Amino acid sequence: MPEMLYFTGNEEADRLIAEDPLALLIGFVLDQQVTVPTAFVGPLKLKQRLGRLDAAEIASIDPDKLADVFRERPAIHRFPGNMAKRTQELCAVVAEEYDGDASRVWRDAADSDDLKHRLDALPGFGEMKVKALASVLARRYGNAMAEPIVPDHPMLGDVDSPEALAEYQAAKRAYKASLRAAKA
């Protein structure tokens, strides 16, 4: 397990997402229409506001109260209501299907296909997030089952330093621009 994932520029947040599988999954849920650093510092903000990250507790919090926690300034996400709901849905799946242990999502997978299916079934996860999380699992955690899911372009799993994060973000912008150009 890596000591840190260099996704935020905040040492405490980078350690949390490296050490706590639920924090990592929440970061991926929040990785939508915000920068990578903003998304992945979110789990630390949530932990600070709730006292800890516990899937069953988050799943059972009154949805309006959780939305208020997300809205508290500085807001955890630019869409606090929607992201509170997605985070709660994710935590419910982790609590109910994985006994509250987010690492079981990948640790208990039978093979690459099963892992892909498990990741794809997580609330808030689409094809891009599945590939991005697989890249982190493969390249930062050494999960061999995740490697076949990872595409051949730069992914978040390639980030191993603050400098690599800046390079990744530039490459991601260029990749997205090439996809838009291909559609035009």
Side-chain angles (χ1 to χ4, degrees), residues 151-167:
D152 61 0
H153 57 79
M155 296 294 297
L156 196 53
D158 299 313
V159 173
D160 60 1
S161 68
E163 298 77 23
L165 177 61
E167 292 170 15

Side-chain angles (χ1 to χ4, degrees), residues 12-85:
E12 188 178 1
D14 288 342
R15 274 189 206 291
L16 178 65
I17 59 174
E19 296 171 354
D20 184 338
L22 182 60
L24 182 62
L25 290 181
I26 292 171
F28 273 99
V29 164
L30 299 177
D31 189 15
Q32 183 172 328
Q33 298 184 347
V34 294
T35 64
V36 168
T38 298
F40 286 93
V41 81
L44 176 62
K45 289 179 183 178
L46 188 59
K47 179 180 179 184
Q48 289 168 336
R49 294 172 189 184
L50 296 177
R52 66 184 184 150
L53 293 179
D54 179 275
E57 286 179 17
I58 295 170
S60 67
I61 291 175
D62 175 85
D64 292 332
K65 180 182 176 203
L66 186 60
D68 288 344
V69 168
F70 268 71
R71 284 186 187 98
E72 183 181 313
R73 296 203 179 265
I76 290 175
H77 194 278
R78 69 186 277 201
F79 301 110
N82 286 339
M83 291 301 117
K85 181 180 177 189

Side-chain angles (χ1 to χ4, degrees), residues 57-148:
E57 286 179 17
I58 295 170
S60 67
I61 291 175
D62 175 85
D64 292 332
K65 180 182 176 203
L66 186 60
D68 288 344
V69 168
F70 268 71
R71 284 186 187 98
E72 183 181 313
R73 296 203 179 265
I76 290 175
H77 194 278
R78 69 186 277 201
F79 301 110
N82 286 339
M83 291 301 117
K85 181 180 177 189
R86 285 202 179 140
T87 298
Q88 193 162 41
E89 291 168 350
L90 169 76
C91 288
V93 168
V94 170
E96 294 166 16
E97 296 182 25
Y98 300 101
D99 296 322
D101 182 353
S103 72
R104 289 188 53 207
V105 172
W106 52 87
R107 196 182 70 227
D108 293 354
D111 55 29
S112 294
D113 289 338
D114 186 36
L115 175 60
K116 186 177 186 304
H117 173 76
R118 287 165 175 256
L119 297 178
D120 196 42
L122 294 173
F125 277 69
E127 181 182 357
M128 284 179 33
K129 286 186 187 182
V130 167
K131 290 176 180 178
L133 178 53
S135 76
V136 172
L137 294 174
R139 298 185 180 145
R140 302 278 64 90
Y141 290 88
N143 184 316
M145 281 190 288
E147 191 62 47

